[in-house]
Amino acid sequence: MKIIVNGESVESGAATLADLLVDLGHGGAAVATAVNEGFVPATARANCPLRPGDRVEIVAPRQGG
Amino acid sequence: MPVFYGTEIASALMLGTALYPSPAILAEAFRRSGAGVATVSLRREAGGGREGQDFWALIRDLGVRVLPNTAGCHSVREAVTTAHMAREVFGTDWIKLEVIGHADTLQPDPFGLVEATRILSDEGFRVFPYCTEDLVLCDRLLRAGCGVLMPWGAPIGTGRGLMNPYGLRSLRAHFPDVPLVVDAGIGLPSHAAQAMEMGFDAVLLNTAVARAGDPAAMALAFARAIEAGALARAADPMEPRDMAAPSTPLLGQAVLA
């Protein structure tokens, strides 16, 4: 299925958000996630199913003022 | 030293972490200045990317308190969601709340700011609102749950200093017990000293240090200016007056004319 990850169209077979993070190489990294503009805590990722067209945001620490 | 939500900070200098020539220079600026708080943000991370993880390791090694921001958020919803993400990643309920109302001036949206403050305070966040010096807005922010106010000195990145000293002094006078931070618009150490002389508790800046020719030296200059301003405030400065008043005694002056 096609989903949108950080604004880019991605072909993915991940059943859940947790699976997607592993597939993309984020396993264990300090990242936060949102699906369709809603925050998904790390503890809820395994129970967060992904559907075609979902918009996923994956963010990490960055410089800020 | 400033106390925010019951936590005392080792320095009244709060430093941003953006725009430095290199991570090493960023770290050196913190080390030389002794800044007590580092502001950070969240941005998209590519799959397998290390940039965010490496940056986070660098910040953790600084040993300072971290204050995540919601920079770039123009709506309450964006800001609230970003705050939730920041709390999880950075492991703190402190949040520098930015709800931007105007793209050119980066002026805070006062209405969205109050609404987001209420939501986040109710959810247990410790909100540090990036606000204007408007007295009524600041009163509403306090009522919405803020225990700190962070009015701008001037628009972000302009380095113009304290554009409305009267408004900032009014805040100090009206809210004597609320920690006040000048956030944004500071360009020179003298601007930071001025804020501290007014009785502000801390100063938050980024560009003035990061874009200096020697950021670490400038960070130290800010630290010393802030210390000088705080000492001056505690020493109870004289009141200015319009007419000259000789400091050397008139009595005993020889008549030579």
Side-chain angles (χ1 to χ4, degrees), chain A residues 1-46:
Chain A
M1 64 177 171
K2 273 202 164 47
I3 57 174
I4 309 294
V5 179
N6 287 349
E8 307 265 334
S9 182
V10 170
E11 186 68 35
S12 172
T16 67
L17 180 57
D19 294 340
L20 178 70
L21 288 178
V22 172
D23 291 351
L24 293 178
H26 290 296
V31 295
T33 50
V35 175
N36 300 331
E37 292 84 48
F39 171 57
V40 180
T43 52
R45 288 174 192 157

